[in-house]
Amino acid sequence: HLLLFLLFIGPFNCFASYSRATELFYSLNEGLPAGVLIGSLARDLRLPMADGQHPAAPQPQLSFTLASRGLGGQYVQLDNRSGELHTSAVEIDREALCVESSGATVFGGAAAVSSSSPSSESCLLLLDVLVLPQEYFRLVKVKIAIQDVNDNAPRFPVPHIHLSVPENAPVNTRLAIEHPALDPDMGTNSVQMYRLCDNYGVFTLDVEENESGERTPYLIVMGALDRETREEYVTVIVAEDGGTPPLVGSATLTVGISDVNDNCPQFNDLQLNVTLYGNSSLGTHVATVHAVDMDLGSNAQITYSYSQKVPQPSRDLFHLDESTGTITLSSKVDGDTPRLHRLIILGNGPGCIPAVITVLVTIIKVMMRPPEVVPRFIANEVEGVVYLKELEPINTPIAFFTIKDPDEKYKVNCYLDGDGPFRLSPYKPYNNEYLLETTKPLDYEKQQLYEISVVAWNSEGFHVNKIIKVQVLDDNDNSPVFSQQLIELSIEENNVPNAFLTKLHATDADSGERGQVSYFLGPDAPSYFSLDKATGVLTVSTQLDREEKEKYRYTVKAVDSGFPPRESIATVTITVLDKNDNSPRFINKDFSFFVPENFPGFGEIGVISVTDADAGQNGWVALSVLNGSDIFVIDTGKGVLRAKVSLDREQQSSYVLWIEAVDGGDPALSSTAKITILLLDINDNPPLVLFPQSNMSYLLVLPSTLPGSPITEVYAVDKDTGMNAVIAYSIIGRRGPRPESFRIDPKTGNITLEESLMQNDYGLYRLLVKVSDHGYPEPLHSTVMVNLFVNDTVSNESYIESLLRKEPDISIEEKQPQISIEPTHKKIESASCMPTLVALSIISLGSIALVTGMGIYICLRKGKKHHRADENLEVQIPLNGRINLHMLEKKPMEISNI
């Protein structure tokens, strides 16, 4: 719509639009954050704004809009109402925007208005802003000059700079460094200076600036250079800009000193003296001269030549190699050849005066020819080298030698010179024929090459040598050898899978493939061990458990690559070291011990058996009582449980202890077990008579009482249990007018009237009642006096009490009561063990320990099946209803299954 509006009003308002065109200049530093104020267009254009301070004079509402969102629009934010221009979130980088130096596009700056255009080095950001509405319309050209900050360090285009300087370069020679440092910053923020970290006293730097402002460093030679003394100088060149603080960049500068021809050839000697026999053959080496030039390359090339002073006959007799300086015999020496030759040899270098050396050759004339040695090889021979296998037998022939004198005038002898298992002997019946053969087996591993000489000499003393080389060929005659025949290893249990154990090493003295060793596990090795064939690395693929297996022993093989292959065997032993990975383990989780009460203090109650599968200190186990330690103690070493004091079943019939076992590992492991101690009853308590409460009490019995009527009862309890708590009642003494008139029930203690009372039966009856248990081995008892006063009334209580205070004259008539045990309160289950215990107690009176053990076994087996909780028996002695004794405590007697 804005574009259509401008097109519509354009033809009619060209002059007005042109007259209202305005330019604003701002300056801004690069790299500023978002929200920095660049400038206020309304204020800088002096446009009226509605500020609300002058309501009497209403101001128009202006609108500011960027004409286009081009490249510059992304770096600024324009407030449409206030006309304030701020930096956006896109950071301005002057070096990225203004890649050219023409200054056409740059940004940055302080919020200042400039009426003059920026300098040519400026980087401008151009914006077109439209001001609306129509009556205030104008097109504002905004130019923002981006000012440079020192945010880039100098950087050399290459990390290593190489320069070459001739060694004869004069002082003050200048060499341009072709790779100066670059800095994208402008002005003083660009590169300002260069320096060397180490100038070695012979270099310095200078900087030249051209018309465009580019600075180029120059290396200046400040001292004499000598390549033969030092070929290269390595230092660091540093470039520094002019920012605050300055930033630097560096590169390695290598200055190579190139060679110039400043040295000439030189001989180490001035003269050589050489002797030559007149019978020497053509090509015989006479001498070699050697000159040295300290220069390099072509500057050090030396050629050798004869001086013009050397006569032509000497030149023809001796050949000089111009490259190597070797002198050889080139013509045959005869009788006319001079005996002395002076050879003047020149060493020539480029641009140098030749070096001179003199070689004096003295020829000794010989009138006879030397002996001849003619070999004929039997063994394989190539270019004078004989090849023999190391396994060849003794006396293996190598070659025939024919020794002869060419002149056939002198006797020729020969012998073998050199070390080795060889022999040269005459081969009969032929003359001058000799056989070379071995005297011992050859061993490649001891010596691979022999050099021997067959020497022939005649009677005149002339010697001739024939050199023979014997190369021994290797054979697979050595087995691999382990560095250790017994390899002892150890590893902690619970190792990680594929854990490294060791690296086996075996050597083979043979060469080539015959000496290459491969490793294999023996057939007795477990499958979870692995051995790398090439490296010999031994690993275990699984976790080892010492408690499962502590030691492993198996064989390993080392096999070479010969044909047929040879092998050797070593033994590997692996000890699995213990880790504390097992808690102490009790043989049972629950222990039960049956102990007779009144057991003496510190007597052995039982043994707590505990084991720990670990070894050493990890398997040491210490036992302790977690509860009840004030009564019980346990022997840590033997596991014996003891009570500190004597135990009384009547006070506590059973104890439940918790025993803790702790091993000696770090950290320690532990476990607990439950200990149940059941006290076996001993007959150590006599029956306790609860009624009558006193021997002085009495009961009135009416004469009209019918026979069979209950009169009273004796009520007693026993703190013991089982048979020790079964009570029997009996009358052991009587006194009265007719004492047989009363009877006591041996089971219940009820006293009843047997016969009718007559007139003559009136009076005081005194019955001595014995209350006895069925304990073993000796029953315990108590006695009580039961006083009965037969009369219609009690008219004189004091009289009766006086009779009671008198000692009764009663004769004791001991009679064992017969009683059968029948429960009165609870029904006995069909599977009760009480009859069994009674029978065992009667039969085994002499063996209480055996009886008790059998009773325990039977009762525990039957009690599990028939709910032991319901097998308790209660024996209750009822009281006579006429006597109010129901408030007395009646303690049930438990018939134990022990």
Side-chain angles (χ1 to χ4, degrees):
H1 294 93
L2 178 62
L3 179 60
L4 293 175
F5 173 73
L6 292 176
L7 291 174
F8 177 76
I9 66 172
F12 306 100
N13 296 281
C14 292
F15 180 78
S17 299
Y18 174 77
S19 63
R20 294 184 180 183
T22 307
E23 285 190 354
L24 291 178
F25 294 95
Y26 296 102
S27 179
L28 187 70
N29 284 339
E30 64 173 325
L32 293 178
V36 175
L37 179 64
I38 300 173
S40 175
L41 302 184
R43 183 184 67 242
D44 296 338
L45 294 173
R46 293 184 176 85
L47 296 176
M49 294 293 293
D51 54 6
Q53 298 178 359
H54 305 284
Q59 302 296 330
Q61 185 68 41
L62 299 181
S63 173
F64 299 87
T65 307
L66 289 174
S68 64
R69 301 292 295 185
L71 176 63
Q74 63 178 324
Y75 299 105
V76 297
Q77 290 287 341
L78 177 62
D79 190 310
N80 292 339
R81 295 188 176 274
S82 65
E84 289 185 348
L85 199 62
H86 296 83
T87 57
S88 69
V90 180
E91 185 178 292
I92 300 175
D93 185 359
R94 182 184 185 279
E95 289 74 32
L97 276 178
C98 301
V99 294
E100 299 179 358
S101 62
S102 60
T105 312
V106 177
F107 62 97
V113 179
S114 175
S115 59
S116 62
S117 62
S119 65
S120 61
E121 295 183 354
S122 297
C123 179
L124 296 180
L125 186 66
L126 303 179
L127 302 173
D128 290 339
V129 180
L130 297 177
V131 182
L132 297 174
Q134 175 62 26
E135 56 268 27
Y136 294 97
F137 171 77
R138 63 178 64 190
L139 176 63
V140 182
K141 297 285 188 179
V142 179
K143 296 182 180 180
I144 304 174
I146 308 304
Q147 302 299 326
D148 183 49
V149 297
N150 191 26
D151 57 347
N152 293 281
R155 185 177 62 85
F156 286 91
V158 293
H160 298 280
I161 301 174
H162 296 272
L163 289 179
S164 179
V165 183
E167 62 178 326
N168 61 347
V171 177
N172 294 327
T173 298
R174 300 170 65 87
L175 299 171
I177 297 177
E178 297 180 355
H179 300 284
L182 304 177
D183 193 330
D185 295 325
M186 300 295 294
T188 58
N189 292 332
S190 63
V191 178
Q192 299 297 315
M193 63 173 292
Y194 292 88
R195 68 175 185 272
L196 293 177
C197 290
D198 188 356
N199 57 20
Y200 297 97
V202 293
F203 299 107
T204 187
L205 284 179
D206 188 18
V207 180
E208 292 185 2
E209 185 174 356
N210 57 18
E211 295 179 356
S212 61
E214 296 179 353
R215 297 174 181 268
T216 303
Y218 282 82
L219 183 70
I220 303 176
V221 179
M222 300 298 295
L225 303 176
D226 186 3
R227 188 206 61 81
E228 287 73 30
T229 303
R230 184 162 190 166
E231 296 183 354
E232 186 179 71
Y233 296 86
V234 180
T235 184
V236 175
I237 181 172
V238 179
E240 183 176 316
D241 63 20
T244 304
L247 302 178
V248 298
S250 63
T252 301
L253 176 62
T254 301
V255 182
I257 310 302
S258 60
D259 185 53
V260 296
N261 192 23
D262 56 348
N263 291 279
C264 290
Q266 291 183 351
F267 287 106
N268 294 329
D269 300 313
L270 296 178
Q271 181 173 311
L272 290 178
N273 296 321
V274 180
T275 301
L276 181 67
Y277 288 101
N279 60 350
S280 298
S281 59
L282 298 179
T284 300
H285 177 268
V286 178
T288 299
V289 294
H290 181 68
V292 178
D293 192 323
M294 300 299 294
D295 292 326
L296 291 177
S298 60
N299 295 329
Q301 289 184 354
I302 302 175
T303 59
Y304 302 93
S305 62
Y306 284 125
S307 171
Q308 295 181 357
K309 297 180 180 180
V310 178
Q312 189 62 40
S314 297
R315 292 172 182 243
D316 297 336
L317 185 60
F318 301 103
H319 175 262
L320 174 63
D321 190 307
E322 65 177 10
S323 298
T324 63
T326 301
I327 304 172
T328 57
L329 184 64
S330 59
S331 299
K332 187 174 181 180
V333 178
D334 53 25
D336 297 331
T337 302
R339 297 184 59 187
L340 181 61
H341 296 266
R342 182 183 298 271
L343 305 178
I344 301 174
I345 300 174
L346 305 178
N348 305 295
C352 291
I353 299 175
V356 180
I357 187 172
T358 302
V359 178
L360 290 179
V361 181
T362 302
I363 298 177
I364 301 175
K365 292 186 178 181
V366 178
M367 300 306 296
M368 61 186 67
R369 290 184 294 174
E372 293 181 358
V373 178
V374 180
R376 287 171 292 170
F377 292 99
I378 302 172
N380 184 25
E381 179 266 340
V382 178
E383 296 181 356
V385 179
V386 177
Y387 295 91
L388 292 177
K389 292 185 178 180
E390 61 175 331
L391 297 182
E392 293 288 351
I394 302 175
N395 300 327
T396 297
I398 299 174
F400 278 112
F401 289 90
T402 301
I403 309 299
K404 62 181 180 179
D405 179 17
D407 298 328
E408 297 183 357
K409 296 180 180 180
Y410 306 99
K411 181 180 179 182
V412 179
N413 295 315
C414 71
Y415 65 92
L416 188 64
D417 186 21
D419 297 329
F422 305 102
R423 176 176 57 207
L424 183 66
S425 57
Y427 190 75
K428 296 181 180 180
Y430 303 103
N431 294 325
N432 297 331
E433 293 288 343
Y434 293 85
L435 176 63
L436 178 63
E437 59 186 353
T438 60
T439 59
K440 294 180 181 179
L442 302 177
D443 191 348
Y444 175 86
E445 287 70 38
K446 291 182 178 179
Q447 188 169 344
Q448 294 86 39
L449 182 65
Y450 296 89
E451 187 171 313
I452 55 179
S453 297
V454 176
V455 182
W457 82 98
N458 59 19
S459 57
E460 297 298 322
F462 283 96
H463 291 73
V464 173
N465 293 344
K466 182 62 177 180
I467 299 175
I468 301 172
K469 294 181 180 181
V470 179
Q471 176 68 54
V472 182
L473 301 178
D474 187 30
D475 207 338
N476 192 30
D477 59 338
N478 290 278
S479 300
V481 178
F482 280 100
S483 56
Q484 293 176 287
Q485 286 299 313
L486 178 61
I487 304 165
E488 297 178 327
L489 307 173
S490 63
I491 184 174
E492 280 193 344
E493 63 176 330
N494 304 330
N495 54 281
V496 297
N498 299 317
F500 172 82
L501 293 175
T502 189
K503 183 176 182 180
L504 303 180
H505 180 66
T507 57
D508 194 315
D510 294 323
S511 62
E513 292 184 355
R514 292 173 292 273
Q516 293 180 0
V517 180
S518 300
Y519 302 91
F520 301 94
L521 290 173
D524 53 346
S527 60
Y528 40 84
F529 289 95
S530 300
L531 180 59
D532 189 278
K533 175 182 178 181
T535 63
V537 173
L538 181 64
T539 57
V540 57
S541 61
T542 186
Q543 283 190 345
L544 299 180
D545 187 355
R546 189 204 64 83
E547 290 72 35
E548 181 179 338
K549 189 170 184 179
E550 184 176 4
K551 289 188 177 293
Y552 296 86
R553 184 184 181 93
Y554 53 86
T555 57
V556 290
K557 295 190 299 182
V559 182
D560 63 22
S561 301
F563 183 80
R566 302 175 69 97
E567 66 180 39
S568 62
I569 297 176
T571 301
V572 175
T573 63
I574 300 175
T575 302
V576 182
L577 303 179
D578 184 54
K579 291 182 70 175
N580 193 28
D581 58 343
N582 290 278
S583 302
R585 183 176 180 181
F586 290 93
I587 293 180
N588 299 313
K589 281 297 181 182
D590 296 324
F591 290 85
S592 296
F593 297 108
F594 300 91
V595 181
E597 64 174 331
N598 302 331
F599 194 70
F602 291 97
E604 180 178 325
I605 295 175
V607 178
I608 311 299
S609 297
V610 61
T611 60
D612 194 313
D614 294 322
Q617 186 172 346
N618 295 331
W620 296 349
V621 179
L623 298 173
S624 61
V625 181
L626 296 180
N627 62 325
S629 59
D630 53 339
I631 300 177
F632 297 94
V633 66
I634 191 167
D635 187 338
T636 298
K638 298 180 179 180
V640 177
L641 182 65
R642 306 176 190 273
K644 298 180 182 178
V645 296
S646 180
L647 304 178
D648 189 355
R649 191 205 64 80
E650 286 70 38
Q651 293 182 2
Q652 187 170 341
S653 61
S654 64
Y655 295 88
V656 177
L657 304 179
W658 289 96
I659 303 296
E660 182 182 37
V662 181
D663 63 22
D666 184 18
L669 301 176
S670 64
S671 61
T672 57
K674 180 181 177 182
I675 310 297
T676 302
I677 301 174
L678 300 175
L679 297 182
L680 302 178
D681 185 49
I682 293 179
N683 192 27
D684 57 346
N685 291 281
L688 176 63
V689 179
L690 299 180
F691 184 84
Q693 297 179 352
S694 171
N695 290 333
M696 301 300 292
S697 62
Y698 66 93
L699 180 66
L700 176 65
V701 180
L702 297 178
S704 59
T705 303
L706 297 178
S709 298
I711 304 300
T712 186
E713 70 174 344
V714 177
Y715 178 44
V717 295
D718 197 317
K719 294 182 180 180
D720 295 322
T721 185
M723 298 299 296
N724 297 331
V726 176
I727 298 176
Y729 302 89
S730 63
I731 299 174
I732 61 173
R734 303 169 186 263
R735 183 178 178 82
R738 192 154 56 95
E740 295 83 4
S741 302
F742 298 96
R743 173 183 174 276
I744 190 169
D745 190 310
K747 181 175 66 174
T748 64
N750 290 336
I751 298 177
T752 58
L753 181 63
E754 286 288 307
E755 301 175 357
S756 299
L757 297 174
M758 308 300 249
Q759 187 68 31
N760 297 334
D761 296 336
Y762 284 33
L764 180 64
Y765 289 80
R766 308 195 74 175
L767 305 177
L768 181 61
V769 177
K770 178 180 179 182
V771 183
S772 176
D773 61 23
H774 283 62
Y776 178 84
E778 183 68 30
L780 301 180
H781 69 273
S782 300
T783 59
V784 65
M785 187 69 72
V786 179
N787 301 305
L788 303 175
F789 185 64
V790 179
N791 203 357
D792 293 325
T793 60
V794 179
S795 59
N796 190 351
E797 292 185 4
S798 60
Y799 171 72
I800 297 174
E801 292 176 357
S802 66
L803 293 177
L804 295 175
R805 282 193 292 270
K806 293 180 180 180
E807 266 313 309
D809 185 11
I810 299 176
S811 61
I812 305 299
E813 46 183 45
E814 185 66 42
K815 183 179 180 181
Q816 186 69 27
Q818 299 296 324
I819 183 171
S820 60
I821 300 173
E822 294 181 4
T824 60
H825 184 68
K826 288 190 176 181
K827 181 179 179 180
I828 300 178
E829 297 286 345
S830 61
S832 172
C833 64
M834 195 60 207
T836 305
L837 288 175
V838 173
L840 290 174
S841 299
I842 295 173
I843 296 172
S844 306
L845 295 177
S847 306
I848 185 62
L850 180 61
V851 172
T852 303
M854 294 179 66
I856 292 170
Y857 175 78
I858 296 173
C859 294
L860 289 177
R861 291 296 298 269
K862 292 186 177 182
K864 291 180 181 178
K865 183 176 180 182
H866 298 287
H867 306 287
R868 186 172 58 185
D870 296 333
E871 293 179 358
N872 296 329
L873 300 178
E874 293 185 357
V875 179
Q876 179 174 322
I877 302 177
L879 299 177
N880 189 294
R882 289 160 46 186
I883 300 175
N884 187 14
L885 298 176
H886 295 290
M887 300 304 294
L888 295 176
E889 178 184 2
K890 300 178 182 180
K891 182 177 181 182
M893 298 293 103
E894 291 189 2
I895 306 302
S896 172
N897 59 1
I898 305 303

